[in-house]
Structures are given as structure tokens and as C-alpha cells.
Amino acid sequence: MHKGRAVLLGVIAALLFCFIIIALFAKGSDEIPPGREKVKPDPWTTMIIPPGGSIFSILDDAGIPHKEIATFAFRFGDHVDVTTIQPGDTLRIQTDPDRERITRAMFVQEPTIRHLFEASGDSLRHTLEELPVEHIIRIIEGTLQNTLDASLIRAGLTTAEKQYINNGLEGDVDFGRKARNGDRFTVMLEERIFEGKKMPGSKILYVSYDGERTGKHELFRFETGDEKSVYNGLYNKEGKTNTSSAVGYPLGRIHVSSAFGRRLDPFTGRWTHHEGVDYRAGFGTSVYAVADGDVTEARYAGGYGNSVRIRHRSGTITHYAHLSSLGARHGQKVRKGQVIGRVGSTGRSTGPHLHFGLMQSGRWINPSQLKMVGAEKLNNQQMKVFALQQQNIRNLLIQVQATRGKSIASRYRITPSQS
Ligand SMILES: [Zn+2]
């Protein structure tokens, strides 16, 4: 009894001693230097797209397994048009503890657009957050001094805007022979302003060019109501674009889900070269021949699934793959804009999309180099809508000019189209 009590006391004393030691050590390691807060580890890994970098390369640098990068990138492309990715855009990810799987991701474009992704089972839930941007309609006027390019830049337009206006006027105005210094131009555009700074993605609503020898030319923006429609853009009063050398688009709306060049293969997880671009599109969407030509292949072609190849007069070959159905036969002559098949997911494909390839002199080249145009001439249905839109744009022009060309805070809204 007495002995038992001594043992018990001894044990208690030993425990107390241990507690004191632990408490002392713990206190030592827990001590917070003055002025510093104890922070929780950040669950996000943040990566910035470097010049020349891609989603693939930054995730590879972060040590994510190739197979997971390929799967993630494929689903990512369903929601983000990869051609809009710019150096400086930020990707933040959370992974499982083994860094085997991406569980959450946030992709920040410009400062105003955030794509949030959350893995749930086999799919990736996507939500888009857009910070409110101010829309300003502005008129910019100037005169030609030497080149149109230089004159537009001097008037305050960006390189992208200048290019767009130049392409639009190119066919209508004979700059080589008829344009003269002092010719006048007017541009009305809707700018996107965030925290006082101009963001990319302004819309050119109206362009006029007026010279003694060139005559007056006007261009108006036509919109279908679908932001990604290939028909949105500048047309003259008759509904024509002047890009005779351009080829058509293979689809009516364009969202690039995977670009040309180096990428991780979604099946093998290996680095491969993508011999075309992938456009996201729904099952059964019409696929058009981008130019006149002869069908040199219309069959099931292994990994490409149902595949059509067309040889054009220039010798260029275009390739359309993973089709759900073929709409052309081998040896057939096809016209630009003719339906040659429907979008599908045949062959090595993880979801419905169109693979579009472009071959010149036996080599696949980047199809984004092609100058594509939605329509050389709007159809009758589109012309009805366009007539109303032209009137709206004219009214807006008068309204903004009444403020002496100074910007007005408003947003250009197209008339709701009938389709
Ligand atoms: Zn492809």
C-alpha cells in the first residue's frame, strides 16, 4: 500500500516533469517574433504564364504528372479559348496531398476574368467570375499622314484595333493609288475600362474613310448575338467584307480548345506535336469546307476517326477529323462553305470537337496563320438584322458626336436578332 503510493507519486512527478519540459519547448518554438503574424500555409500554388509558355509547361514545371496535366488541359480548353491566353495570366492550383491530381484551379485573365475549376469525380466544374468593367463609347477622328497604320496609332488606337480597321478598309479603299495625306477617318468604338485602364477586347462599331479620290467608305459592325460567331465583324453598307483572298471558317463559331504545336497527349501523357487546332463544338455541328477543292480522303482513319481531307487549287490540303458523320465522298468536288461532315468524337478523342489541320508542301503548319472570314456577303436573313443595326449605329454616332466626340458611358447593344 505504502509502496504503491510512492510509485504513484513517482509517476505523477515524472509526468509533471515531462509536461513542464514539453510546455517549455513548445513555448520556445511557438514564440512569434514581434510584428509577425502566424500564417497558415497557402493551399494554392501560383504560377504565371511566361512569354512562350503554356498551361502545359507551367504545370510541368510545378511537377504535376503528365497524364494529369493532359486531362486537365483538355477540360480547361472546354471553358477557356486557349488563343486568349497571354503571358502574365495566372494559374493557381490546389492538389491532393500527393500532388497527383489537381483538385481546384483558378485561372485569372487580365485582371477582370476569373475561371474557377473544381474537380468532382471525373469532371471539372467551371464557374466564371467577371469583375464589372466600364464600357465607354468613343469617337476617334484623324487625318491620313503617310500610312493608315501610323495615322491610326497617332490618333490613339491600339495595335490590335489598328489592324482590325486596316483589314476592314483594305478592300474598299485603294490605299496604293488613291489615298492622299489629309484624307479623313472616323472610328467609333466601345472600349472596356477597368480601374481607369483600357482593357483588350474593344469593339469597333463604325469606321468611315473619306478622301477626294477614294470617295467615302463606311463600315458597320454586324453581330449575331453569339459572341463567338464568325459572322460578327465589320461590313460595308451592302453587307460585304472585302477579303477575297481569305478562306472560310470550318465552323460557324470558333472556340480554340487546343492550339497547334507542342502539347501533352491526353491518352499517353507524353509530349507530342499537335498537327492542327481543336475547335470545341457540339455533336452534330456542321463542318464546312474552308475553300473550293477536291476531296482526297473521306473515311475512318484510325486515331483521326472519321476524317476528310480536301486538296485546294493552291496545293494546300485541309484536314477535318473526329467527325460523327461524313458529308462528302472521296473524289468529290466541294465548294467553299459546303457541309462536308458533322462534329463528333470518333477516333482518339475525349469529347466532341473538330480537329482542323492545314498542310502546305507536305508539312502541317499552324492553321491560325490562315486569314479566315465568316462571310464575304451576309445572307438575306442577316441583312435584315444588319439594316437595323446600321441604323442603331448611325443614331449612336449622332448621339456621341453631339457630345463633341467625347466618350459617353454606355454600352452598345445590338438589336436582338431573329434567329
Ligand atoms: Zn487535334
Side-chain angles (χ1 to χ4, degrees), residues 144-198:
L144 188 73
Q145 299 298 330
N146 303 319
T147 67
L148 181 64
D149 272 4
S151 311
L152 292 170
I153 294 285
R154 208 176 309 115
L157 292 148
T158 66
T159 312
E161 290 162 357
K162 164 213 93 177
Q163 197 54 49
Y164 192 76
I165 294 164
N166 215 331
N167 288 346
L169 284 172
E170 197 175 51
D172 274 352
V173 179
D174 186 348
F175 285 101
R177 289 184 300 160
K178 292 192 174 161
R180 290 290 180 273
N181 283 347
D183 288 357
R184 292 169 306 282
F185 58 82
T186 303
V187 177
M188 180 166 71
L189 72 168
E190 185 197 273
E191 296 178 326
R192 301 168 66 237
I193 310 287
F194 180 70
E195 290 177 348
K197 275 201 296 192
K198 181 162 165 172

Side-chain angles (χ1 to χ4, degrees), residues 74 257-259 263 274-279 304 321-322 348 353-357:
F74 190 85
S257 60
S258 182
R263 71 165 183 185
H274 187 214
E275 315 274 38
V277 290
D278 291 344
Y279 297 118
Y304 282 126
H322 308 302
R348 267 168 42 118
H353 73 282
L354 174 70
H355 170 94
F356 178 69

